[in-house]
Amino acid sequence: GAVVSQHPSRVICKSGTSVKIECRSLDFQATTMFWYRQFPKQSLMLMATSNEGSKATYEQGVEKDKFLINHASLTLSTLTVTSAHPEDSSFYICSASLVNTEAFFGQGTRLTVV
Amino acid sequence: QKEVEQNSGPLSVPEGAIASLNCTYSDRGSQSFFWYRQYSGKSPELIMSIYSNGDKEDGRFTAQLNKASQYVSLLIRDSQPSDSATYLCAVKRAGGSYIPTFGRGTSLIVHP
């Protein structure tokens, strides 16, 4: 299957700082990238969908000014958690896909805000 | 409301048995169906995709799709303790918005 690389895999940051998470599709050009958040023992929660060169589409209840998504190229999308707070601590996962194909997931980023 | 329903489990089966995981969906426009496995603390990994009615086999895994009844299932033969994980069902429409909709997942425990 296709390879999606997500970095970093784990990050600890201080409350009030910003954290950037990168998601790269290594062997294909992704039409669309998705960002999910998952709390312990909970299901995947879609945060936003991003298409290269256009603004991300955020799901209801997700603050676009807090979770900045940039999809600069067909192989790279970034999620920046701005002014992070402890309640933002979660497992963030990106996925990438072409139209009408399966989505491939990155390894996930465990964010801990202290 | 597009929904994908799965029994959260846990489903507990003995080693060597067949594990049967089920998923129903509400959107009749769904055309693509996927099963993902997620180990605790890890991201989901794709194990099966199915697009047409019937069975699709890959090693110990068989996906079954019935569009008329709007369900898709995953059978795991000769279950192993290493199969213990949460299994996520996902569906997508063809064309238009191709955002996959995920179920909550079924926790499978294979005990020795």
Side-chain angles (χ1 to χ4, degrees):
Chain A
V3 178
V4 176
S5 177
Q6 187 173 341
H7 178 81
S9 59
R10 190 177 296 268
V11 59
I12 300 173
C13 71
K14 291 184 177 180
S15 186
T17 61
S18 296
V19 173
K20 179 184 283 189
I21 302 169
E22 288 190 352
C23 180
R24 294 179 183 273
S25 55
L26 297 185
D27 53 359
F28 71 106
Q29 293 183 323
T31 309
T32 306
M33 288 188 172
F34 307 97
W35 287 95
Y36 295 87
R37 181 167 54 182
Q38 188 176 40
F39 293 106
K41 299 191 184 301
Q42 300 293 314
S43 61
L44 290 172
M45 187 185 78
L46 180 66
M47 298 175 66
T49 303
S50 72
N51 296 295
E52 183 263 342
S54 61
K55 290 184 178 180
T57 302
Y58 290 80
E59 294 298 298
Q60 192 172 8
V62 178
E63 300 175 59
K64 59 182 66 177
D65 293 332
K66 181 169 185 61
F67 299 100
L68 301 178
I69 292 173
N70 183 284
H71 195 156
S73 73
L74 284 170
T75 60
L76 174 64
S77 177
T78 60
L79 167 68
T80 301
V81 182
T82 63
S83 187
H85 291 286
E87 57 265 31
D88 298 324
S89 299
S90 188
F91 191 45
Y92 292 86
I93 314 172
C94 72
S95 73
S97 73
L98 298 168
V99 176
N100 292 331
T101 66
E102 55 267 51
F104 296 95
F105 286 88
Q107 302 93 322
T109 298
R110 177 79 55 194
L111 171 64
T112 303
V113 184
V114 298
Chain B
Q1 180 79 16
K2 301 181 180 64
E3 289 187 354
V4 177
E5 300 286 342
Q6 293 181 259
N7 188 320
S8 61
L11 172 65
S12 182
V13 301
E15 183 174 357
I18 296 175
S20 178
L21 305 162
N22 300 310
C23 170
T24 59
Y25 59 95
S26 61
D27 183 5
R28 286 195 172 274
S30 300
Q31 296 290 327
S32 307
F33 307 86
F34 311 98
W35 282 100
Y36 290 84
R37 177 175 61 199
Q38 186 177 24
Y39 291 112
S40 180
K42 302 293 185 182
S43 66
E45 58 178 321
L46 179 71
I47 51 175
M48 289 285 286
S49 58
I50 187 167
Y51 303 95
S52 54
N53 280 327
D55 294 0
K56 179 181 178 182
E57 187 174 316
D58 184 0
R60 296 187 296 112
F61 299 99
T62 299
Q64 299 175 317
L65 174 61
N66 184 321
K67 290 184 180 180
S69 301
Q70 295 177 245
Y71 83 78
V72 56
S73 62
L74 179 70
L75 301 178
I76 306 175
R77 289 181 299 281
D78 188 23
S79 296
Q80 302 296 310
S82 58
D83 294 326
S84 299
T86 296
Y87 289 80
L88 302 170
C89 171
V91 304
K92 288 204 310 186
R93 296 178 65 94
S97 171
Y98 35 83
I99 301 171
T101 301
F102 283 87
R104 289 183 166 273
T106 298
S107 175
L108 172 67
I109 299 172
V110 181
H111 53 87

